[in-house]
Amino acid sequence: MPFYRHSFLILAAAFLSACDSNHEPPPPPPSEYRFTEIFTLPAMPVEDQGRSGTCWCFSTSSFLESEILRLTGDSVDLSEMYFVQNAYLLKGQNFILRQGTSRFTEGGSNHDPLFSMPVLGMMPESAYLGKNVGDSVFDHSKMYPELLDSMQIWADPGKKRTAAWKLGLPAILEKYMGKAPETFDYKGTKYSPSSFMAHHGIQPRDYVNITSFIHHPFYKPFILEIPANHLNGEFYNLPLDEYMAVINYALDSGFTLALDTDAIEPGFSPQYGVAMVAADPKNAETVAWKVQPEMADISQQYRQEEFENLRTVDDHNMHIVGKVKDQHGKVYFKVKNSWGEKSCINGFMYMSQPYIRLKSIYVMLHKNGLPADIRAKLGL
């Protein structure tokens, strides 16, 4: 057979195969895990961050919504984008005053809203959606590049500095997100962002970040060296066993926690809705659906090495709201995600305790959610 004819037949067969719906990729193996709920603390419905790098804000907003439910019983859908707008204003000022040497990205930390709330408060999504008319999803794919280009020009120390950025930065945000109101009506009452926050019992000073690393003293606050900590927020440092004890105690006592973790791991599977650490590295991917042993002894030193070698990085924020167990009685944390209800397990990830022990960066919670002995050690 001439070469050209042979090649043609191969290409034709490939084309027909590609067009044949019977040649779709095989479905993934069914999960062997069977989960039952232990408890879920009150939380608002799962939301979708869309095409925005603002998981930190969806995580914190969800956490604050649960705090409002715990404190007042009121179901409030908070405006994530109001917090995002305020964070950009703080990041922008910092970036310019530091002449472009600080971080200016879509990312952030769970405590970012706590920095802005004492002055700028909070508001419900009914008052400020943060989308322009016609937008079906949150999409910052055009806004962020325009912000960054402008910020780099304004921050350039080689150019004559003016105060143009003080008007230019809010103008870009308003162009894509709309203008946030100074006052608004909520359930028949007129509020400002500050009075709305006070009415719902939120005091930013009551919330603390807890982590566990050995390059700083235990039981002391320190500035955690992660890129998202652009505001230089402080984190209280605990030994790993006590760090895990805080998470379990808080949940069992009715307190949810905001979570920063590494979500780019073979054992983190949105497809199956689970996150685990296989005992055998060769099974790092199959552990998501095939029942098998997890890594049993995750030491403080191993956690530190993974962090310092950048094998554990802060790339996703979520909200821990409860616990589930599998058919063998192993307990997992039920973690609310921000990728919509059709993702993961109805929008939730089930994260094993070993995974949190190794791959979480920190948690944020109300100080009353700390065990009394640990709270005393931290001086809170």
Side-chain angles (χ1 to χ4, degrees):
M1 179 184 294
F3 175 76
Y4 72 86
R5 176 175 170 78
H6 180 259
S7 300
F8 173 79
L9 291 175
I10 292 176
L11 290 171
F15 176 79
L16 290 172
S17 176
C19 295
D20 186 348
S21 62
N22 293 325
H23 287 78
E24 294 179 357
S31 175
E32 295 181 358
Y33 295 96
R34 298 293 178 266
F35 295 103
T36 56
E37 184 173 294
I38 299 174
F39 66 84
T40 300
L41 297 173
M44 295 295 285
V46 172
E47 297 202 35
D48 191 343
Q49 69 186 73
R51 293 186 287 275
S52 73
T54 58
C55 61
W56 58 271
C57 183
F58 281 81
S59 168
T60 306
S61 296
S62 179
F63 167 74
L64 291 172
E65 289 165 356
S66 286
E67 281 295 284
I68 293 170
L69 280 164
R70 183 180 65 83
L71 292 166
T72 70
D74 193 6
S75 298
V76 180
D77 183 6
L78 291 175
S79 170
E80 292 86 7
M81 291 303 122
Y82 182 66
F83 291 139
V84 169
Q85 183 184 90
N86 295 338
Y88 270 126
L89 294 173
L90 291 176
K91 281 188 280 192
Q93 175 177 277
N94 188 49
F95 187 80
I96 287 170
L97 296 181
R98 293 181 184 271
Q99 302 177 29
T101 62
S102 66
R103 180 177 171 90
F104 188 83
T105 69
E106 292 187 80
S109 295
N110 286 109
H111 58 229
D112 284 10
L114 302 183
F115 275 81
S116 65
M117 286 166 66
V119 175
L120 299 172
M122 65 187 192
M123 63 178 62
E125 192 166 285
S126 59
Y128 183 63
L129 180 59
K131 293 179 191 173
N132 282 324
V133 176
D135 291 345
S136 59
V137 298
F138 295 108
D139 186 350
H140 295 175
S141 59
K142 293 182 180 179
M143 181 181 76
Y144 172 66
E146 184 172 335
L147 282 170
L148 181 59
D149 288 345
S150 298
M151 295 303 300
Q152 289 173 335
I153 293 171
W154 291 324
D156 186 348
K159 297 182 183 297
K160 185 178 180 180
R161 176 67 59 82
T162 71
W165 66 271
K166 292 186 178 181
L167 297 176
L169 176 57
I172 296 172
L173 292 169
E174 185 176 332
K175 171 183 172 182
Y176 290 97
M177 303 175 69
K179 184 176 179 61
E182 294 182 3
T183 61
F184 50 88
D185 290 329
Y186 181 76
K187 295 185 177 180
T189 302
K190 189 173 184 178
Y191 293 96
S192 68
S194 294
S195 65
F196 186 75
M197 180 182 74
H199 175 76
H200 288 92
I202 299 297
Q203 297 290 338
R205 64 178 179 272
D206 289 339
Y207 298 94
V208 293
N209 293 315
I210 305 293
T211 191
S212 180
F213 293 108
I214 60 176
H215 63 296
H216 289 281
F218 289 134
Y219 308 115
K220 302 290 184 181
F222 72 99
I223 296 174
L224 181 59
E225 306 93 333
I226 54 175
N229 190 20
H230 59 93
L231 292 175
N232 295 323
E234 289 190 330
F235 294 71
Y236 285 92
N237 201 23
L238 290 176
L240 186 52
D241 287 342
E242 293 186 18
Y243 171 73
M244 294 300 298
V246 163
I247 298 174
N248 280 289
Y249 177 86
L251 287 169
D252 294 342
S253 302
F255 294 82
T256 69
L257 308 94
L259 168 70
D260 183 18
T261 191
D262 189 336
I264 307 178
E265 296 289 332
F268 185 100
S269 174
Q271 182 179 35
Y272 290 101
V274 298
M276 287 182 273
V277 185
D280 186 341
K282 293 184 296 185
N283 298 330
E285 294 184 2
T286 61
V287 72
W289 60 270
K290 186 177 180 60
V291 175
Q292 58 190 276
E294 269 201 282
M295 190 176 291
D297 184 19
I298 294 172
S299 67
Q300 183 87 62
Q301 183 62 39
Y302 182 44
R303 172 182 165 87
Q304 187 75 22
E305 290 171 359
E306 291 286 285
F307 178 71
E308 292 185 357
N309 294 334
L310 303 183
R311 289 191 293 267
T312 295
V313 296
D314 67 310
D315 53 41
H316 194 43
N317 300 72
M318 294 179 283
H319 180 202
I320 309 177
V321 298
K323 293 182 178 182
V324 301
K325 62 182 178 180
D326 64 21
Q327 66 267 42
H328 301 291
K330 188 168 71 172
V331 176
Y332 303 71
F333 296 118
K334 184 177 182 179
V335 185
K336 181 182 171 186
N337 205 353
S338 55
W339 297 341
E341 293 181 347
K342 293 183 180 179
S343 70
C344 309
I345 301 175
N346 299 319
F348 293 86
M349 290 289 296
Y350 297 164
M351 305 181 72
S352 73
Q353 304 231 6
Y355 192 92
I356 292 291
R357 187 178 176 93
L358 180 61
K359 292 297 177 179
S360 67
I361 303 294
Y362 67 82
V363 293
M364 185 176 78
L365 72 162
H366 195 285
K367 61 185 180 182
N368 289 345
L370 296 168
D373 60 332
I374 292 178
R375 186 171 174 178
K377 290 178 183 178
L378 298 179
L380 295 171

